[in-house]
Amino acid sequence: MTRCYIGLGSNLEDPAAQLRSALARMHEIPQTEVCGCSSFYTSAPIGPGEQPDYVNAVACLDTQLTAEGLLDALQGIENLHGRKRTLRWGARTLDLDVLLYGDETLDTVRLVVPHPRMAERNFVLEPLAELAPDLTMPDGTPLQTLLAQCPDNRLHRL
């Protein structure tokens, strides 16, 4: 089994309900066990135009799926929630990102792990630290170091 961390975010159509539903669907992913989920947090949107605030969380999974197999399952859940990929960083019903896949560093056409912008996003690092405060990134950087250097983004625990 590979320990993975998944970022969850939504800012449309009852975002907290979107995240709860996505978590329920993650329990249905084959060869995968949901080990935990952080609290939900609200954060300011990052992206174009006026958007509602986001609700974010991080889930911990153990999986036997490959990284891209897990990505396929997560994108299937996004699609079930009406995810439209029309505008980069635009408002969305559901966004599920593979943040970490074990200790692996991946850079494929479809997937970059660790997530390339997670160090800049307290709405990822804070919930991740709630689940795994002593976590170390694949490059050896402690999560707490990234968190201490991360800019604030109006983050509030729900």
Side-chain angles (χ1 to χ4, degrees):
M1 294 288 247
T2 301
R3 173 68 43 105
C4 305
Y5 293 94
I6 309 302
L8 298 86
S10 174
N11 70 342
L12 295 175
E13 300 177 24
D14 194 353
Q18 295 284 354
L19 268 56
R20 285 190 296 274
S21 176
L23 282 166
R25 297 250 182 215
M26 283 186 206
H27 283 277
E28 299 169 3
I29 298 173
Q31 300 175 308
T32 301
E33 179 183 343
V34 177
C35 303
C37 185
S38 71
S39 301
F40 288 5
Y41 293 79
T42 60
S43 65
I46 295 176
E50 292 291 320
Q51 296 184 40
D53 283 354
Y54 274 81
V55 175
N56 298 97
V58 170
C60 176
L61 309 178
D62 283 340
T63 189
Q64 292 179 348
L65 298 176
T66 65
E68 289 198 354
L70 180 59
L71 178 64
D72 289 339
L74 296 172
Q75 287 180 341
I77 294 170
E78 288 178 339
N79 293 339
L80 288 171
H81 285 81
R83 170 73 188 266
K84 304 285 187 251
R85 298 178 191 283
T86 54
L87 181 63
R88 186 172 190 191
W89 297 330
R92 61 200 72 171
T93 53
L94 185 62
D95 186 28
L96 301 175
D97 291 327
V98 179
L99 303 172
L100 295 166
Y101 184 83
D103 291 331
E104 293 190 35
T105 300
L106 304 167
D107 190 352
T108 70
V109 172
R110 296 185 57 218
L111 183 61
V112 177
V113 176
H115 190 283
R117 289 170 298 284
M118 69 186 279
E120 306 158 14
R121 297 179 172 170
N122 68 341
F123 58 86
V124 169
L125 297 178
E126 191 71 38
L128 181 57
E130 184 182 324
L131 289 174
D134 298 324
L135 186 70
T136 300
M137 298 298 113
D139 69 358
T141 304
L143 173 60
Q144 293 299 326
T145 299
L146 295 178
L147 191 55
Q149 298 169 350
C150 189
D152 182 46
N153 186 33
R154 289 193 347 236
L155 190 69
H156 299 284
R157 184 183 296 189
L158 291 178

